[in-house]
Amino acid sequence: MTTMTSPSSNQRSDKFASHLANHLDGYAAQTKGKTGLKRIINAAGYSKDGLIAAYQNEAAFRQVAWLNSILLVALIFLPFMMPIKMILVFSSFFSLIVELFNTGIEASIDHTSTERHPLAKIGKDVGSAAQLLALTMLFLLWMMALYTTFINFY
């Protein structure tokens, strides 16, 4: 009587590595598998490329970037307490991050198909809703900071 045994963990990871190597080709195969400092340098380059692409190709990202640049400069001159400044810096970066995700989602959907499809609309609308919430949070936090600093002195 023979019994079936499951493959060992090493066999499974070897199979996965083999599948990954066979699945990836061209540019993807060249970039996967790098480790250490080289991977960090490559990742920084990809991040720079992503920021440049978002700025050059997406008007909404440019608008959010300029809005947050103005707010961050204003933050230097306004007499907010440090914890308030930290929260406002966080909310500015959060709105930029959400816009980058939204831009990535839209680009992926457009790459897949430019035809109108209900699921594509949902994907794009959900990304837009996330940005609306992030900008609403940014607005509310700025209003609370201004109110507590200039109107209600505690």
Side-chain angles (χ1 to χ4, degrees), residues 51-87:
L51 288 168
I52 290 169
Y55 191 84
Q56 289 177 344
N57 299 305
E58 189 63 39
F61 180 78
R62 286 191 298 276
Q63 292 168 348
V64 172
W66 279 107
L67 168 68
N68 283 296
S69 296
I70 292 166
L71 292 175
L72 292 172
V73 169
L75 199 56
I76 294 169
F77 300 105
L78 290 169
F80 296 138
M81 293 184 296
M82 188 55 70
I84 291 175
K85 287 187 177 194
M86 291 166 56
I87 290 168

PDB file of all heavy atoms in Angstrom, residues 51-87:
ATOM      1  N   LEU A  51       6.591  59.292  -9.776  1.00  0.00           N
ATOM      2  CA  LEU A  51       6.214  60.669  -9.445  1.00  0.00           C
ATOM      3  C   LEU A  51       6.239  61.559 -10.687  1.00  0.00           C
ATOM      4  O   LEU A  51       5.337  62.375 -10.900  1.00  0.00           O
ATOM      5  CB  LEU A  51       7.142  61.228  -8.372  1.00  0.00           C
ATOM      6  CG  LEU A  51       6.947  60.666  -6.967  1.00  0.00           C
ATOM      7  CD1 LEU A  51       8.105  61.082  -6.060  1.00  0.00           C
ATOM      8  CD2 LEU A  51       5.618  61.121  -6.388  1.00  0.00           C
ATOM      9  N   ILE A  52       7.266  61.389 -11.507  1.00  0.00           N
ATOM     10  CA  ILE A  52       7.367  62.189 -12.731  1.00  0.00           C
ATOM     11  C   ILE A  52       6.222  61.860 -13.677  1.00  0.00           C
ATOM     12  O   ILE A  52       5.578  62.760 -14.235  1.00  0.00           O
ATOM     13  CB  ILE A  52       8.741  61.973 -13.412  1.00  0.00           C
ATOM     14  CG1 ILE A  52       9.842  62.612 -12.566  1.00  0.00           C
ATOM     15  CG2 ILE A  52       8.747  62.553 -14.824  1.00  0.00           C
ATOM     16  CD1 ILE A  52      11.256  62.243 -13.001  1.00  0.00           C
ATOM     17  N   ALA A  53       5.927  60.577 -13.850  1.00  0.00           N
ATOM     18  CA  ALA A  53       4.839  60.164 -14.745  1.00  0.00           C
ATOM     19  C   ALA A  53       3.498  60.692 -14.263  1.00  0.00           C
ATOM     20  O   ALA A  53       2.687  61.186 -15.049  1.00  0.00           O
ATOM     21  CB  ALA A  53       4.797  58.642 -14.861  1.00  0.00           C
ATOM     22  N   ALA A  54       3.260  60.605 -12.950  1.00  0.00           N
ATOM     23  CA  ALA A  54       1.996  61.106 -12.406  1.00  0.00           C
ATOM     24  C   ALA A  54       1.891  62.610 -12.628  1.00  0.00           C
ATOM     25  O   ALA A  54       0.832  63.120 -13.017  1.00  0.00           O
ATOM     26  CB  ALA A  54       1.884  60.767 -10.923  1.00  0.00           C
ATOM     27  N   TYR A  55       2.968  63.342 -12.403  1.00  0.00           N
ATOM     28  CA  TYR A  55       2.939  64.792 -12.563  1.00  0.00           C
ATOM     29  C   TYR A  55       2.740  65.180 -14.029  1.00  0.00           C
ATOM     30  O   TYR A  55       1.993  66.102 -14.338  1.00  0.00           O
ATOM     31  CB  TYR A  55       4.224  65.424 -12.010  1.00  0.00           C
ATOM     32  CG  TYR A  55       4.121  66.923 -11.913  1.00  0.00           C
ATOM     33  CD1 TYR A  55       3.531  67.526 -10.812  1.00  0.00           C
ATOM     34  CD2 TYR A  55       4.598  67.739 -12.938  1.00  0.00           C
ATOM     35  CE1 TYR A  55       3.409  68.906 -10.724  1.00  0.00           C
ATOM     36  CE2 TYR A  55       4.487  69.117 -12.861  1.00  0.00           C
ATOM     37  CZ  TYR A  55       3.894  69.689 -11.757  1.00  0.00           C
ATOM     38  OH  TYR A  55       3.772  71.049 -11.687  1.00  0.00           O
ATOM     39  N   GLN A  56       3.411  64.477 -14.937  1.00  0.00           N
ATOM     40  CA  GLN A  56       3.329  64.829 -16.353  1.00  0.00           C
ATOM     41  C   GLN A  56       2.006  64.407 -16.994  1.00  0.00           C
ATOM     42  O   GLN A  56       1.525  65.078 -17.909  1.00  0.00           O
ATOM     43  CB  GLN A  56       4.478  64.183 -17.125  1.00  0.00           C
ATOM     44  CG  GLN A  56       5.818  64.802 -16.838  1.00  0.00           C
ATOM     45  CD  GLN A  56       6.958  64.095 -17.549  1.00  0.00           C
ATOM     46  OE1 GLN A  56       6.824  62.971 -18.026  1.00  0.00           O
ATOM     47  NE2 GLN A  56       8.105  64.758 -17.613  1.00  0.00           N
ATOM     48  N   ASN A  57       1.411  63.312 -16.518  1.00  0.00           N
ATOM     49  CA  ASN A  57       0.265  62.732 -17.218  1.00  0.00           C
ATOM     50  C   ASN A  57      -1.076  62.899 -16.524  1.00  0.00           C
ATOM     51  O   ASN A  57      -2.101  62.564 -17.106  1.00  0.00           O
ATOM     52  CB  ASN A  57       0.506  61.239 -17.461  1.00  0.00           C
ATOM     53  CG  ASN A  57       1.721  61.006 -18.322  1.00  0.00           C
ATOM     54  OD1 ASN A  57       1.827  61.539 -19.414  1.00  0.00           O
ATOM     55  ND2 ASN A  57       2.659  60.227 -17.818  1.00  0.00           N
ATOM     56  N   GLU A  58      -1.093  63.390 -15.312  1.00  0.00           N
ATOM     57  CA  GLU A  58      -2.348  63.438 -14.553  1.00  0.00           C
ATOM     58  C   GLU A  58      -2.555  64.825 -13.964  1.00  0.00           C
ATOM     59  O   GLU A  58      -1.864  65.233 -13.032  1.00  0.00           O
ATOM     60  CB  GLU A  58      -2.314  62.374 -13.458  1.00  0.00           C
ATOM     61  CG  GLU A  58      -3.615  62.177 -12.749  1.00  0.00           C
ATOM     62  CD  GLU A  58      -4.730  61.675 -13.644  1.00  0.00           C
ATOM     63  OE1 GLU A  58      -4.476  60.821 -14.510  1.00  0.00           O
ATOM     64  OE2 GLU A  58      -5.871  62.138 -13.463  1.00  0.00           O
ATOM     65  N   ALA A  59      -3.535  65.538 -14.517  1.00  0.00           N
ATOM     66  CA  ALA A  59      -3.828  66.900 -14.043  1.00  0.00           C
ATOM     67  C   ALA A  59      -4.236  66.897 -12.566  1.00  0.00           C
ATOM     68  O   ALA A  59      -3.858  67.803 -11.817  1.00  0.00           O
ATOM     69  CB  ALA A  59      -4.925  67.529 -14.897  1.00  0.00           C
ATOM     70  N   ALA A  60      -4.991  65.892 -12.150  1.00  0.00           N
ATOM     71  CA  ALA A  60      -5.440  65.834 -10.751  1.00  0.00           C
ATOM     72  C   ALA A  60      -4.248  65.723  -9.806  1.00  0.00           C
ATOM     73  O   ALA A  60      -4.240  66.345  -8.739  1.00  0.00           O
ATOM     74  CB  ALA A  60      -6.385  64.655 -10.546  1.00  0.00           C
ATOM     75  N   PHE A  61      -3.225  64.960 -10.193  1.00  0.00           N
ATOM     76  CA  PHE A  61      -2.041  64.855  -9.335  1.00  0.00           C
ATOM     77  C   PHE A  61      -1.325  66.201  -9.255  1.00  0.00           C
ATOM     78  O   PHE A  61      -0.880  66.613  -8.186  1.00  0.00           O
ATOM     79  CB  PHE A  61      -1.089  63.766  -9.831  1.00  0.00           C
ATOM     80  CG  PHE A  61       0.128  63.635  -8.958  1.00  0.00           C
ATOM     81  CD1 PHE A  61       0.057  62.979  -7.743  1.00  0.00           C
ATOM     82  CD2 PHE A  61       1.335  64.202  -9.335  1.00  0.00           C
ATOM     83  CE1 PHE A  61       1.166  62.886  -6.908  1.00  0.00           C
ATOM     84  CE2 PHE A  61       2.457  64.108  -8.511  1.00  0.00           C
ATOM     85  CZ  PHE A  61       2.365  63.445  -7.299  1.00  0.00           C
ATOM     86  N   ARG A  62      -1.218  66.888 -10.377  1.00  0.00           N
ATOM     87  CA  ARG A  62      -0.570  68.216 -10.362  1.00  0.00           C
ATOM     88  C   ARG A  62      -1.331  69.168  -9.446  1.00  0.00           C
ATOM     89  O   ARG A  62      -0.726  69.915  -8.670  1.00  0.00           O
ATOM     90  CB  ARG A  62      -0.485  68.791 -11.778  1.00  0.00           C
ATOM     91  CG  ARG A  62       0.550  68.141 -12.659  1.00  0.00           C
ATOM     92  CD  ARG A  62       0.774  68.911 -13.948  1.00  0.00           C
ATOM     93  NE  ARG A  62      -0.405  69.010 -14.790  1.00  0.00           N
ATOM     94  CZ  ARG A  62      -0.790  68.070 -15.652  1.00  0.00           C
ATOM     95  NH1 ARG A  62      -0.093  66.963 -15.789  1.00  0.00           N
ATOM     96  NH2 ARG A  62      -1.871  68.245 -16.388  1.00  0.00           N
ATOM     97  N   GLN A  63      -2.649  69.140  -9.525  1.00  0.00           N
ATOM     98  CA  GLN A  63      -3.454  70.029  -8.682  1.00  0.00           C
ATOM     99  C   GLN A  63      -3.254  69.723  -7.203  1.00  0.00           C
ATOM    100  O   GLN A  63      -3.061  70.635  -6.392  1.00  0.00           O
ATOM    101  CB  GLN A  63      -4.929  69.908  -9.051  1.00  0.00           C
ATOM    102  CG  GLN A  63      -5.247  70.458 -10.420  1.00  0.00           C
ATOM    103  CD  GLN A  63      -6.632  70.077 -10.901  1.00  0.00           C
ATOM    104  OE1 GLN A  63      -7.302  69.220 -10.331  1.00  0.00           O
ATOM    105  NE2 GLN A  63      -7.067  70.717 -11.978  1.00  0.00           N
ATOM    106  N   VAL A  64      -3.282  68.452  -6.849  1.00  0.00           N
ATOM    107  CA  VAL A  64      -3.097  68.065  -5.449  1.00  0.00           C
ATOM    108  C   VAL A  64      -1.667  68.379  -4.997  1.00  0.00           C
ATOM    109  O   VAL A  64      -1.453  68.830  -3.872  1.00  0.00           O
ATOM    110  CB  VAL A  64      -3.439  66.568  -5.242  1.00  0.00           C
ATOM    111  CG1 VAL A  64      -3.065  66.091  -3.853  1.00  0.00           C
ATOM    112  CG2 VAL A  64      -4.920  66.335  -5.486  1.00  0.00           C
ATOM    113  N   ALA A  65      -0.698  68.176  -5.877  1.00  0.00           N
ATOM    114  CA  ALA A  65       0.692  68.474  -5.529  1.00  0.00           C
ATOM    115  C   ALA A  65       0.870  69.971  -5.262  1.00  0.00           C
ATOM    116  O   ALA A  65       1.509  70.359  -4.270  1.00  0.00           O
ATOM    117  CB  ALA A  65       1.628  68.016  -6.646  1.00  0.00           C
ATOM    118  N   TRP A  66       0.316  70.824  -6.114  1.00  0.00           N
ATOM    119  CA  TRP A  66       0.448  72.269  -5.908  1.00  0.00           C
ATOM    120  C   TRP A  66      -0.327  72.728  -4.677  1.00  0.00           C
ATOM    121  O   TRP A  66       0.166  73.570  -3.907  1.00  0.00           O
ATOM    122  CB  TRP A  66       0.008  73.034  -7.158  1.00  0.00           C
ATOM    123  CG  TRP A  66       1.088  73.060  -8.186  1.00  0.00           C
ATOM    124  CD1 TRP A  66       1.130  72.356  -9.349  1.00  0.00           C
ATOM    125  CD2 TRP A  66       2.303  73.795  -8.124  1.00  0.00           C
ATOM    126  NE1 TRP A  66       2.304  72.611 -10.013  1.00  0.00           N
ATOM    127  CE2 TRP A  66       3.041  73.503  -9.280  1.00  0.00           C
ATOM    128  CE3 TRP A  66       2.839  74.676  -7.195  1.00  0.00           C
ATOM    129  CZ2 TRP A  66       4.290  74.059  -9.539  1.00  0.00           C
ATOM    130  CZ3 TRP A  66       4.087  75.227  -7.448  1.00  0.00           C
ATOM    131  CH2 TRP A  66       4.796  74.923  -8.616  1.00  0.00           C
ATOM    132  N   LEU A  67      -1.525  72.200  -4.482  1.00  0.00           N
ATOM    133  CA  LEU A  67      -2.296  72.549  -3.287  1.00  0.00           C
ATOM    134  C   LEU A  67      -1.497  72.232  -2.027  1.00  0.00           C
ATOM    135  O   LEU A  67      -1.360  73.065  -1.128  1.00  0.00           O
ATOM    136  CB  LEU A  67      -3.628  71.785  -3.267  1.00  0.00           C
ATOM    137  CG  LEU A  67      -4.402  71.844  -1.951  1.00  0.00           C
ATOM    138  CD1 LEU A  67      -4.917  73.254  -1.685  1.00  0.00           C
ATOM    139  CD2 LEU A  67      -5.529  70.832  -1.952  1.00  0.00           C
ATOM    140  N   ASN A  68      -0.949  71.023  -1.960  1.00  0.00           N
ATOM    141  CA  ASN A  68      -0.208  70.620  -0.772  1.00  0.00           C
ATOM    142  C   ASN A  68       1.110  71.360  -0.637  1.00  0.00           C
ATOM    143  O   ASN A  68       1.561  71.622   0.485  1.00  0.00           O
ATOM    144  CB  ASN A  68      -0.008  69.110  -0.757  1.00  0.00           C
ATOM    145  CG  ASN A  68      -1.279  68.407  -0.340  1.00  0.00           C
ATOM    146  OD1 ASN A  68      -1.750  68.575   0.775  1.00  0.00           O
ATOM    147  ND2 ASN A  68      -1.863  67.655  -1.247  1.00  0.00           N
ATOM    148  N   SER A  69       1.726  71.736  -1.732  1.00  0.00           N
ATOM    149  CA  SER A  69       2.948  72.555  -1.659  1.00  0.00           C
ATOM    150  C   SER A  69       2.648  73.902  -1.013  1.00  0.00           C
ATOM    151  O   SER A  69       3.394  74.365  -0.140  1.00  0.00           O
ATOM    152  CB  SER A  69       3.532  72.777  -3.062  1.00  0.00           C
ATOM    153  OG  SER A  69       3.933  71.559  -3.626  1.00  0.00           O
ATOM    154  N   ILE A  70       1.553  74.519  -1.432  1.00  0.00           N
ATOM    155  CA  ILE A  70       1.158  75.809  -0.853  1.00  0.00           C
ATOM    156  C   ILE A  70       0.841  75.650   0.631  1.00  0.00           C
ATOM    157  O   ILE A  70       1.271  76.460   1.466  1.00  0.00           O
ATOM    158  CB  ILE A  70      -0.039  76.391  -1.634  1.00  0.00           C
ATOM    159  CG1 ILE A  70       0.404  76.788  -3.045  1.00  0.00           C
ATOM    160  CG2 ILE A  70      -0.662  77.571  -0.885  1.00  0.00           C
ATOM    161  CD1 ILE A  70      -0.732  77.050  -4.005  1.00  0.00           C
ATOM    162  N   LEU A  71       0.100  74.572   0.977  1.00  0.00           N
ATOM    163  CA  LEU A  71      -0.250  74.351   2.382  1.00  0.00           C
ATOM    164  C   LEU A  71       0.994  74.094   3.238  1.00  0.00           C
ATOM    165  O   LEU A  71       1.084  74.579   4.370  1.00  0.00           O
ATOM    166  CB  LEU A  71      -1.228  73.179   2.507  1.00  0.00           C
ATOM    167  CG  LEU A  71      -2.631  73.416   1.940  1.00  0.00           C
ATOM    168  CD1 LEU A  71      -3.459  72.139   2.026  1.00  0.00           C
ATOM    169  CD2 LEU A  71      -3.321  74.573   2.631  1.00  0.00           C
ATOM    170  N   LEU A  72       1.947  73.349   2.702  1.00  0.00           N
ATOM    171  CA  LEU A  72       3.161  73.060   3.475  1.00  0.00           C
ATOM    172  C   LEU A  72       4.017  74.302   3.670  1.00  0.00           C
ATOM    173  O   LEU A  72       4.626  74.486   4.727  1.00  0.00           O
ATOM    174  CB  LEU A  72       3.948  71.922   2.821  1.00  0.00           C
ATOM    175  CG  LEU A  72       3.267  70.555   2.889  1.00  0.00           C
ATOM    176  CD1 LEU A  72       4.026  69.525   2.051  1.00  0.00           C
ATOM    177  CD2 LEU A  72       3.119  70.075   4.323  1.00  0.00           C
ATOM    178  N   VAL A  73       4.058  75.176   2.670  1.00  0.00           N
ATOM    179  CA  VAL A  73       4.787  76.434   2.835  1.00  0.00           C
ATOM    180  C   VAL A  73       4.072  77.307   3.873  1.00  0.00           C
ATOM    181  O   VAL A  73       4.714  77.901   4.748  1.00  0.00           O
ATOM    182  CB  VAL A  73       4.936  77.178   1.486  1.00  0.00           C
ATOM    183  CG1 VAL A  73       5.441  78.601   1.690  1.00  0.00           C
ATOM    184  CG2 VAL A  73       5.876  76.408   0.565  1.00  0.00           C
ATOM    185  N   ALA A  74       2.747  77.366   3.805  1.00  0.00           N
ATOM    186  CA  ALA A  74       1.986  78.139   4.793  1.00  0.00           C
ATOM    187  C   ALA A  74       2.217  77.599   6.199  1.00  0.00           C
ATOM    188  O   ALA A  74       2.289  78.363   7.166  1.00  0.00           O
ATOM    189  CB  ALA A  74       0.492  78.099   4.447  1.00  0.00           C
ATOM    190  N   LEU A  75       2.369  76.307   6.291  1.00  0.00           N
ATOM    191  CA  LEU A  75       2.579  75.662   7.588  1.00  0.00           C
ATOM    192  C   LEU A  75       3.855  76.156   8.278  1.00  0.00           C
ATOM    193  O   LEU A  75       3.912  76.232   9.505  1.00  0.00           O
ATOM    194  CB  LEU A  75       2.649  74.146   7.377  1.00  0.00           C
ATOM    195  CG  LEU A  75       2.422  73.238   8.554  1.00  0.00           C
ATOM    196  CD1 LEU A  75       1.080  73.522   9.200  1.00  0.00           C
ATOM    197  CD2 LEU A  75       2.480  71.797   8.097  1.00  0.00           C
ATOM    198  N   ILE A  76       4.839  76.518   7.490  1.00  0.00           N
ATOM    199  CA  ILE A  76       6.107  77.025   8.041  1.00  0.00           C
ATOM    200  C   ILE A  76       5.870  78.341   8.783  1.00  0.00           C
ATOM    201  O   ILE A  76       6.464  78.588   9.837  1.00  0.00           O
ATOM    202  CB  ILE A  76       7.139  77.222   6.909  1.00  0.00           C
ATOM    203  CG1 ILE A  76       7.515  75.871   6.308  1.00  0.00           C
ATOM    204  CG2 ILE A  76       8.375  77.959   7.413  1.00  0.00           C
ATOM    205  CD1 ILE A  76       8.318  75.957   5.023  1.00  0.00           C
ATOM    206  N   PHE A  77       4.976  79.176   8.248  1.00  0.00           N
ATOM    207  CA  PHE A  77       4.795  80.518   8.789  1.00  0.00           C
ATOM    208  C   PHE A  77       3.657  80.645   9.799  1.00  0.00           C
ATOM    209  O   PHE A  77       3.578  81.651  10.499  1.00  0.00           O
ATOM    210  CB  PHE A  77       4.583  81.509   7.637  1.00  0.00           C
ATOM    211  CG  PHE A  77       5.750  81.549   6.701  1.00  0.00           C
ATOM    212  CD1 PHE A  77       5.689  80.936   5.451  1.00  0.00           C
ATOM    213  CD2 PHE A  77       6.933  82.185   7.070  1.00  0.00           C
ATOM    214  CE1 PHE A  77       6.769  80.968   4.592  1.00  0.00           C
ATOM    215  CE2 PHE A  77       8.017  82.213   6.222  1.00  0.00           C
ATOM    216  CZ  PHE A  77       7.942  81.605   4.981  1.00  0.00           C
ATOM    217  N   LEU A  78       2.768  79.661   9.852  1.00  0.00           N
ATOM    218  CA  LEU A  78       1.647  79.758  10.787  1.00  0.00           C
ATOM    219  C   LEU A  78       2.058  79.265  12.169  1.00  0.00           C
ATOM    220  O   LEU A  78       2.828  78.312  12.293  1.00  0.00           O
ATOM    221  CB  LEU A  78       0.459  78.939  10.258  1.00  0.00           C
ATOM    222  CG  LEU A  78      -0.203  79.553   9.026  1.00  0.00           C
ATOM    223  CD1 LEU A  78      -1.192  78.579   8.391  1.00  0.00           C
ATOM    224  CD2 LEU A  78      -0.876  80.866   9.374  1.00  0.00           C
ATOM    225  N   PRO A  79       1.535  79.897  13.218  1.00  0.00           N
ATOM    226  CA  PRO A  79       1.983  79.585  14.586  1.00  0.00           C
ATOM    227  C   PRO A  79       1.262  78.389  15.219  1.00  0.00           C
ATOM    228  O   PRO A  79       0.827  78.445  16.362  1.00  0.00           O
ATOM    229  CB  PRO A  79       1.655  80.881  15.339  1.00  0.00           C
ATOM    230  CG  PRO A  79       0.431  81.386  14.654  1.00  0.00           C
ATOM    231  CD  PRO A  79       0.621  81.046  13.207  1.00  0.00           C
ATOM    232  N   PHE A  80       1.155  77.300  14.479  1.00  0.00           N
ATOM    233  CA  PHE A  80       0.540  76.105  15.041  1.00  0.00           C
ATOM    234  C   PHE A  80       1.503  75.407  15.979  1.00  0.00           C
ATOM    235  O   PHE A  80       2.728  75.469  15.791  1.00  0.00           O
ATOM    236  CB  PHE A  80       0.149  75.112  13.940  1.00  0.00           C
ATOM    237  CG  PHE A  80      -0.905  75.618  12.991  1.00  0.00           C
ATOM    238  CD1 PHE A  80      -0.792  75.375  11.636  1.00  0.00           C
ATOM    239  CD2 PHE A  80      -2.018  76.312  13.441  1.00  0.00           C
ATOM    240  CE1 PHE A  80      -1.754  75.811  10.751  1.00  0.00           C
ATOM    241  CE2 PHE A  80      -2.989  76.761  12.565  1.00  0.00           C
ATOM    242  CZ  PHE A  80      -2.859  76.514  11.212  1.00  0.00           C
ATOM    243  N   MET A  81       0.972  74.704  16.965  1.00  0.00           N
ATOM    244  CA  MET A  81       1.809  73.881  17.829  1.00  0.00           C
ATOM    245  C   MET A  81       2.333  72.694  17.014  1.00  0.00           C
ATOM    246  O   MET A  81       1.730  72.300  16.012  1.00  0.00           O
ATOM    247  CB  MET A  81       1.001  73.390  19.036  1.00  0.00           C
ATOM    248  CG  MET A  81       0.605  74.517  19.982  1.00  0.00           C
ATOM    249  SD  MET A  81      -0.239  73.938  21.466  1.00  0.00           S
ATOM    250  CE  MET A  81      -1.718  73.252  20.779  1.00  0.00           C
ATOM    251  N   MET A  82       3.452  72.139  17.442  1.00  0.00           N
ATOM    252  CA  MET A  82       4.103  71.070  16.692  1.00  0.00           C
ATOM    253  C   MET A  82       3.188  69.867  16.420  1.00  0.00           C
ATOM    254  O   MET A  82       3.176  69.363  15.292  1.00  0.00           O
ATOM    255  CB  MET A  82       5.386  70.626  17.400  1.00  0.00           C
ATOM    256  CG  MET A  82       6.215  69.654  16.577  1.00  0.00           C
ATOM    257  SD  MET A  82       6.658  70.254  14.923  1.00  0.00           S
ATOM    258  CE  MET A  82       7.824  71.524  15.310  1.00  0.00           C
ATOM    259  N   PRO A  83       2.417  69.378  17.386  1.00  0.00           N
ATOM    260  CA  PRO A  83       1.535  68.234  17.072  1.00  0.00           C
ATOM    261  C   PRO A  83       0.533  68.553  15.958  1.00  0.00           C
ATOM    262  O   PRO A  83       0.251  67.696  15.115  1.00  0.00           O
ATOM    263  CB  PRO A  83       0.818  67.954  18.389  1.00  0.00           C
ATOM    264  CG  PRO A  83       1.714  68.496  19.438  1.00  0.00           C
ATOM    265  CD  PRO A  83       2.377  69.697  18.822  1.00  0.00           C
ATOM    266  N   ILE A  84       0.032  69.781  15.926  1.00  0.00           N
ATOM    267  CA  ILE A  84      -0.898  70.171  14.861  1.00  0.00           C
ATOM    268  C   ILE A  84      -0.175  70.195  13.522  1.00  0.00           C
ATOM    269  O   ILE A  84      -0.686  69.708  12.515  1.00  0.00           O
ATOM    270  CB  ILE A  84      -1.553  71.536  15.180  1.00  0.00           C
ATOM    271  CG1 ILE A  84      -2.495  71.383  16.372  1.00  0.00           C
ATOM    272  CG2 ILE A  84      -2.285  72.095  13.971  1.00  0.00           C
ATOM    273  CD1 ILE A  84      -3.105  72.671  16.858  1.00  0.00           C
ATOM    274  N   LYS A  85       1.038  70.748  13.511  1.00  0.00           N
ATOM    275  CA  LYS A  85       1.813  70.764  12.265  1.00  0.00           C
ATOM    276  C   LYS A  85       2.078  69.343  11.761  1.00  0.00           C
ATOM    277  O   LYS A  85       1.989  69.073  10.567  1.00  0.00           O
ATOM    278  CB  LYS A  85       3.143  71.502  12.466  1.00  0.00           C
ATOM    279  CG  LYS A  85       2.981  72.996  12.574  1.00  0.00           C
ATOM    280  CD  LYS A  85       4.329  73.695  12.607  1.00  0.00           C
ATOM    281  CE  LYS A  85       4.122  75.202  12.634  1.00  0.00           C
ATOM    282  NZ  LYS A  85       5.330  75.950  12.332  1.00  0.00           N
ATOM    283  N   MET A  86       2.373  68.443  12.682  1.00  0.00           N
ATOM    284  CA  MET A  86       2.655  67.056  12.291  1.00  0.00           C
ATOM    285  C   MET A  86       1.415  66.415  11.660  1.00  0.00           C
ATOM    286  O   MET A  86       1.515  65.711  10.645  1.00  0.00           O
ATOM    287  CB  MET A  86       3.132  66.259  13.505  1.00  0.00           C
ATOM    288  CG  MET A  86       4.498  66.690  14.000  1.00  0.00           C
ATOM    289  SD  MET A  86       4.953  66.087  15.630  1.00  0.00           S
ATOM    290  CE  MET A  86       4.780  64.350  15.454  1.00  0.00           C
ATOM    291  N   ILE A  87       0.261  66.659  12.234  1.00  0.00           N
ATOM    292  CA  ILE A  87      -0.981  66.096  11.696  1.00  0.00           C
ATOM    293  C   ILE A  87      -1.274  66.675  10.313  1.00  0.00           C
ATOM    294  O   ILE A  87      -1.685  65.950   9.398  1.00  0.00           O
ATOM    295  CB  ILE A  87      -2.155  66.345  12.671  1.00  0.00           C
ATOM    296  CG1 ILE A  87      -1.969  65.491  13.933  1.00  0.00           C
ATOM    297  CG2 ILE A  87      -3.489  66.055  12.010  1.00  0.00           C
ATOM    298  CD1 ILE A  87      -2.894  65.845  15.068  1.00  0.00           C
TER     299      ILE A  87
END
